[in-house]
Amino acid sequence: MPSVFETAPTTAPTQITFVTKATWDAIRGELPAPARQFAAANDFAAKPGKLLVLPAADGGIAQVLFGLEDADHKAHDPFRPGALPGLLPPGVYRFANAPHDTRLAALAFALGCYRFGRYRTNKIPEVRLVPPDGIDTAEITRMADAAALARDLINTPPNDMGPAELAEVARDLATRFGAAFNCIDDDELAQNFPLIHAVGMASTRSPRLIELSWGDPAHPKVTLVGKGVCFDTGGLDLKPSSGMLIMKKDMGGAANVLALAQMVMDAKLKLRLRVLIPAVENAVAGNAFRPLDIFKSRKGITVEIGNTDAEGRLVLADALALADEETPDLLIDLGTLTGAARVALGPDLPPFYTNDEALAGDVASCAKSENDPLWRMPLWPAYDAWLDSKTADITNAPSGGFAGSITCALFLQRFVEHARSWLHVDIYGWTPSAKPGRPEGGECQAARAIYKLLSQRYA
């Protein structure tokens, strides 16, 4: 999306003054008398998210007041300024005083400017911000652009975002940054990646494995794997209609992996990047894979199909097996995988899994600093036996219904043997109702936190 930052305004930008319950009396006392009277007439009380546009004598805008939580408030949202683009009239603005975290406030403003306009004929009003002093505008723009990419891909309806279209996006990204691109499909996919092929074979839109590689081969190897189920009917274990309504988001892992790859390449981090995206549509047809079918995976592990709606872990398994063969220094996978993760932690807090204690600490730290929430959950060894099958090596859907996100992570762990470190994130990829900096719809989750981690390790 176009940069929201106005570095050379042609007219004086309108000031945004941040106020809290603790600062409101002092700021109100500095306002001209007509402005104080106008604020009182509008019952403005510095409540978080409350906006007041103060009129100038000539009928224009004198300044804007915007309420924030006190810094020590337990519900303090550092992205609160991200609500501003949806509240402000079109124009150019600047922060008149510092919010609690100026960098996150500017990032939230940029993220809040996002609108999905591909299918709209009306023009979206523009709100722009003069960048505050001392922030890295290029870095914030990099993050906002990546978030827009992920959101656009997830928000695009499945008739325009199938496996082939997702591959074209990856190809365009590779071309833009001088990366190598490859796509495996048809007979080669069926022979070498049987789980990916099994999930996607019922669709008229053929499955494929998308691959992108970039960077100096001498640098540490970092491989990203993203679940690319472009639409999920549930297969023969069909979802109800209500369950399919947002299943265009089931390629959210792929979307966020591409967003992360874009940030890595744009920042020119010193790593050897490999991206793998199994792109499929889980459709219903006479040749769809069935419950109790058994397939031999790329790794050689035989998998019994306990449920065709647990398809994401199947396609990730073959892609992880391929990634693991190269023994990467760091292997990361993202996928919209389990309703159990949402039951445990809700839509805004994806769980992550790793046995690398140092990595876990770094991920948690970066998630907090970037306001990109993640929460560690355990690869609980006692539950590994739940994956046992009576007729194959493992099942993709253990019976019982307990600990669904954990058993999914344990399933994927079976396919990672050689990577020096592995991180699995069970994202939602969707904002059910709009929040500051996070419009309703497709969401960029975990990508900013992981980018921060990679920036610290491979700058």
Side-chain angles (χ1 to χ4, degrees):
M1 69 180 191
S3 174
V4 302
F5 293 119
E6 181 62 70
T7 56
T10 56
T11 59
T14 302
Q15 295 186 118
I16 299 171
T17 301
F18 295 105
V19 297
T20 68
K21 184 179 180 180
T23 63
W24 173 226
D25 286 344
I27 290 174
R28 177 173 51 190
E30 296 175 357
L31 294 174
R36 289 199 302 272
Q37 294 167 0
F38 188 83
N42 283 273
D43 196 28
F44 183 78
K47 294 180 181 178
K50 182 77 172 179
L51 180 137
L52 182 66
V53 177
L54 296 175
D58 62 0
I61 300 174
Q63 65 172 302
V64 172
L65 303 177
F66 186 71
L68 300 177
E69 299 90 349
D70 289 323
D72 59 352
H73 194 281
K74 65 179 180 180
H76 168 225
D77 182 359
F79 270 11
R80 180 69 65 188
L84 284 165
L87 300 172
L88 292 169
V92 179
Y93 297 85
R94 73 174 181 87
F95 296 164
N97 59 343
H100 301 310
D101 186 318
T102 302
R103 183 182 70 88
L104 286 180
L107 173 61
F109 192 100
L111 293 173
C113 283
Y114 172 83
R115 299 293 183 272
F116 183 57
R118 177 170 174 173
Y119 299 92
R120 293 185 178 273
T121 55
N122 55 314
K123 186 178 179 182
I124 299 170
E126 278 195 4
V127 176
R128 296 172 66 78
L129 179 70
V130 175
D133 293 338
I135 68 164
D136 187 339
T137 306
E139 181 79 341
I140 291 176
T141 299
R142 181 177 297 124
M143 290 183 172
D145 287 349
L149 171 64
R151 290 167 169 177
D152 278 350
L153 292 177
I154 297 169
N155 286 329
T156 300
N159 59 309
D160 285 334
M161 186 51 64
E165 290 82 4
L166 188 57
E168 281 306 305
V169 173
R171 186 193 298 273
D172 290 344
L173 193 64
T175 300
R176 176 180 166 191
F177 290 101
F181 175 85
N182 185 40
C183 196
I184 301 169
D185 54 13
D186 300 330
D187 291 342
E188 185 181 357
L189 186 78
Q191 181 177 351
N192 296 319
F193 302 93
L195 295 181
I196 299 173
H197 180 262
V199 173
M201 64 186 177
S203 175
T204 56
R205 304 192 288 183
S206 61
R208 62 206 65 207
L209 179 62
I210 301 162
E211 181 177 13
L212 180 155
S213 57
W214 171 91
D216 187 339
H219 287 158
K221 298 175 183 176
V222 175
T223 301
L224 311 176
V225 180
K227 174 187 170 185
V229 178
C230 295
F231 190 77
D232 182 20
T233 65
L236 293 180
D237 287 309
L238 194 68
K239 291 179 183 290
S241 176
S242 59
M244 280 193 237
L245 284 177
I246 57 171
M247 278 301 101
K248 66 180 182 179
K249 81 170 184 66
D250 216 20
M251 40 67 71
N256 278 278
V257 158
L258 289 173
L260 176 54
Q262 177 174 296
M263 286 187 279
V264 166
M265 293 187 291
D266 188 60
K268 299 180 175 61
L269 298 187
K270 294 178 180 178
L271 55 85
R272 174 61 171 173
L273 179 68
R274 189 184 192 189
V275 175
L276 295 170
I277 295 174
V280 303
E281 179 178 30
N282 188 18
V284 178
N287 65 329
F289 74 124
R290 297 164 287 262
L292 302 187
D293 278 353
I294 296 176
F295 298 94
K296 187 176 183 180
S297 68
R298 175 179 179 84
K299 192 172 179 64
I301 298 170
T302 56
V303 182
E304 179 185 26
I305 306 304
N307 191 305
T308 63
D309 198 20
E311 85 300 330
R313 66 198 68 182
L314 296 174
V315 299
L316 284 177
D318 268 356
L320 283 170
L322 174 64
D324 191 59
E325 291 166 11
E326 194 183 37
T327 315
D329 294 270
L330 179 56
L331 174 55
I332 302 170
D333 75 82
L334 276 67
T336 51
L337 286 157
T338 69
R342 282 33 312 152
V343 171
L345 299 175
D348 302 337
L349 185 59
F352 74 91
Y353 298 83
T354 181
N355 280 328
D356 184 330
E357 296 300 321
L359 177 62
D362 289 345
V363 169
S365 175
C366 291
K368 183 176 181 179
S369 71
E370 297 307 309
N371 197 36
D372 191 8
L374 296 169
W375 193 264
R376 189 183 186 186
M377 287 180 67
L379 288 159
W380 192 247
Y383 295 164
D384 198 63
W386 293 0
L387 297 171
D388 291 348
S389 164
K390 294 178 181 178
T391 52
D393 294 329
I394 54 175
T395 176
N396 76 323
S399 61
F402 292 127
S405 182
I406 295 175
T407 55
C408 176
L410 291 169
F411 177 93
L412 295 176
Q413 188 181 37
R414 297 287 188 100
F415 297 86
V416 179
E417 182 181 2
H418 303 294
R420 294 185 177 90
S421 192
W422 170 58
L423 173 69
H424 162 61
V425 191
D426 189 345
I427 67 170
Y428 191 48
W430 191 262
T431 299
S433 57
K435 299 175 179 66
R438 293 151 289 191
E440 180 180 346
E443 190 51 274
C444 185
Q445 283 186 319
R448 286 187 295 104
I450 297 172
Y451 167 68
K452 181 73 170 182
L453 168 80
L454 298 179
S455 296
Q456 291 176 350
R457 292 190 171 193
Y458 308 111

